[in-house]
Amino acid sequence: MISIFNDVIGPVMRGASSSHCAAALRIGRLARDLMGGDIQQVLIEFDLHGSLPATHQSQGSDMGLFGGLLGWDAADARLAMSPQALREAGVAVEIRYVDLHDPHPNTYRLTLSNATEQHTMIAISTGGGMIEVQDVDGQRVALDGGARVEISGRVLHPVLPVLSNPGATLPFRSCAELMAHDGGREIPLWQWAVEYEKARGNLTDAEVLAKMVEIVRILRASIAEGVAGTTYADRLLGHQSGMFADHMQRGALLNAGVLNRTVLYTTALMEVKSAMGVIVAAPTAGACAALPASVIAVAEEMQCSEEDMARAMLAAGLIGVFIAGPWTFAAEVGGCQAEGGSAAAMSAAALVTLADGTLTHATGAASMALQSMLGLICDPVAARVEIPCLGKNVLAASNAVSCANMALAGFNAMIPFDEVVGAAARVAERMPREHRCTALGGLATTPTALRLSAELAARAQM
């Protein structure tokens, strides 16, 4: 059962990619438990035909997995040093690329051993930090890390912030079911989000809102950090949001209204991500900026409270539930339409919520926003989540502002939201592997991109 806090607005993390770094860390934590914390050797196998051989180093899979094997948290400040820390802990690591034709492009095959025992684990990263452990010691399982599980004589502890509630009865699982459940009452989307998460996680109204307010505060602090300036050696883009802020203050930009503040905050959050600062995958690290930047920028312009921002984020979270349930947030599966497109749809619904729009307005805005981003490819230059990811986050946020206003003005989305999600999934099935976060197509293969990739590789060897 999809959770707003486990799977859509979260995790709170460091690193370039949630489907790489945060998910790998969660897999590593569970693997550590499987070994009772005593690990001496780890064999990691990645399918040659998947996404990980090209991206596991540059997008943080190694960093996250090693941090998880050490028992660290996804927001641990030491994460960038996890490879060195694992070596210092006496753990020998071998990574192999093998011809397996795994069904999922983000498949981790682990063989862990010490002097007395050996265990195996097969797990996949399904997008936005979500995982599924599929096999332990040859036994088929289906574990998402949301519950305490005993297997192979060991206890695997939960790695998600909201625990699974096996007895939960969800009020709805799709947008169509939500609209039928609402029955024309036009109860605000954020209120239905609270009802959903209460049932999913056995929480109270106050606990749901408080959790999202805490996330809003983390995001506002990250935006301020980004505007003030960030640095990190292994990245392509330097500090640019400060220049944008300076031009805004001097009136040297086109008068784009609230969109200028949105672009500023989007850039700031993307720079924090690229500097290994604390971000929130909303719904992913690669698309972490569009939703919070647009919500916080518009809310500040409207002089809204942090509670108002949290309600808007909850509305966005429920739209994300309707995407993650039948489809994915993973660009390795769906291209950037799964990340940036999802972020745009979620943001549009959130902005309608800030404006006190109706449930129909919010879901219509989400539909229009996702409609206009079908087919968006994922082609990270030098396998870094920076170019064209920054521009695509700005695109998603700008799209959301426009679609929110169109919905509020009564524009007809025509295609119900669930049908748009289904269409995106079918588009993804026809999208070549090279355009799904492998850095093997699109802008990633331009002469300039190849030169930048070589320069970064040479810098890393110095």
Side-chain angles (χ1 to χ4, degrees):
M1 294 184 291
I2 306 299
S3 162
I4 291 174
F5 295 108
N6 287 349
D7 309 313
V8 183
I9 311 294
V12 179
M13 59 168 288
R14 296 176 188 265
S17 168
S18 49
S19 62
H20 288 71
C21 187
L25 185 139
R26 287 171 167 174
I27 292 168
R29 288 273 296 271
L30 294 173
R32 176 182 174 85
D33 285 349
L34 184 61
M35 292 297 295
D38 182 8
I39 307 170
Q40 294 178 1
Q41 293 94 27
V42 181
L43 169 63
I44 305 163
E45 294 176 301
F46 296 136
D47 182 15
L48 276 168
H49 305 280
S51 70
L52 291 167
T55 60
H56 70 93
Q57 293 177 308
S58 58
Q59 294 194 19
S61 296
D62 295 355
M63 177 180 68
L65 183 61
F66 299 163
L69 293 172
L70 290 163
W72 295 353
D73 182 76
D76 197 302
R78 301 170 293 175
L79 268 181
M81 303 302 297
S82 66
Q84 176 183 338
L86 195 66
R87 289 193 298 269
E88 292 174 351
V91 180
V93 176
E94 179 183 359
I95 298 176
R96 294 179 187 168
Y97 303 154
V98 289
D99 191 0
L100 294 168
H101 292 273
D102 283 321
H104 198 284
N106 287 344
T107 299
Y108 293 74
R109 292 173 175 265
L110 308 180
T111 303
L112 310 108
S113 58
N114 57 33
T116 60
E117 60 184 314
Q118 176 176 295
H119 293 284
T120 62
M121 175 181 287
I122 301 174
I124 61 174
S125 162
T126 58
M130 295 183 286
I131 65 169
E132 181 185 337
V133 178
Q134 299 182 325
D135 186 293
V136 174
D137 292 338
Q139 176 182 347
R140 295 294 296 172
V141 297
L143 311 176
D144 66 359
R148 182 183 184 275
V149 177
E150 293 187 26
I151 192 166
S152 292
R154 289 281 161 67
V155 174
L156 276 57
H157 295 90
V159 294
L160 302 179
V162 178
L163 300 184
S164 297
N165 180 13
T169 300
L170 298 180
F172 40 77
R173 291 176 180 265
S174 68
C175 191
E177 290 181 4
L178 165 63
M179 301 307 286
H181 192 74
D182 179 74
R185 292 173 289 173
E186 295 290 353
I187 294 172
L189 183 59
W190 75 267
Q191 291 186 28
W192 285 126
V194 171
E195 290 301 312
Y196 177 91
E197 198 65 15
K198 282 168 56 181
R200 163 61 182 78
N202 196 27
L203 303 170
T204 67
D205 292 59
E207 286 171 333
V208 172
L209 186 60
K211 279 181 176 292
M212 195 59 79
V213 168
E214 180 182 356
I215 286 174
V216 166
R217 289 172 179 165
I218 291 170
L219 289 164
R220 298 188 81 185
S222 295
I223 288 170
E225 178 186 352
V227 174
T230 58
T231 58
Y232 195 69
D234 187 25
R235 79 189 215 189
L236 292 166
L237 298 172
H239 175 50
Q240 300 179 116
S241 57
M243 296 186 296
F244 196 92
D246 178 65
H247 279 65
M248 279 182 62
Q249 292 168 359
R250 292 191 289 106
L253 301 176
L254 296 174
N255 182 11
V258 71
L259 189 58
N260 279 340
R261 189 191 293 245
T262 301
V263 172
L264 171 62
Y265 288 2
T266 299
T267 306
L269 279 172
M270 292 297 285
E271 290 176 358
V272 169
K273 173 201 61 63
S274 295
M276 285 296 296
V278 174
I279 59 163
V280 178
T284 68
C288 69
L291 168 60
S294 59
V295 167
I296 293 171
V298 172
E300 288 180 354
E301 290 279 343
M302 296 173 63
Q303 299 184 333
C304 296
S305 68
E306 288 183 335
E307 287 75 16
D308 293 326
M309 298 178 196
R311 293 183 184 98
M313 293 288 287
L314 282 166
L318 190 54
I319 292 296
V321 167
F322 300 150
I323 298 171
W327 192 36
T328 185
F329 293 137
E332 298 83 358
V333 176
C336 194
Q337 59 171 1
E339 296 200 26
S342 296
M346 293 162 59
S347 303
L351 296 179
V352 167
T353 300
L354 280 176
D356 292 328
T358 67
L359 178 62
T360 298
H361 288 150
T363 57
S367 175
M368 286 189 284
L370 184 55
Q371 287 176 37
S372 57
M373 299 189 77
L374 294 193
L376 193 65
I377 67 171
C378 180
D379 51 344
V381 169
R384 267 69 177 176
V385 188
E386 296 183 78
I387 306 168
C389 314
L390 170 60
K392 288 176 178 175
N393 272 261
V394 171
L395 168 66
S398 305
N399 180 23
V401 173
S402 300
C403 290
N405 273 337
M406 290 163 67
L408 290 167
F411 280 53
N412 190 338
M414 292 301 294
I415 311 299
F417 184 70
D418 295 333
E419 294 183 22
V420 182
V421 174
R426 292 191 296 275
V427 169
E429 291 171 356
R430 293 162 176 79
M431 191 177 287
R433 170 176 177 255
E434 288 79 7
H435 292 161
R436 289 184 281 116
C437 200
T438 57
L440 298 174
L443 289 177
T445 57
T446 59
T448 297
L450 296 175
R451 174 179 59 78
L452 290 170
S453 183
E455 290 175 358
L456 284 170
R459 187 191 307 170
Q461 294 175 357
M462 293 176 61

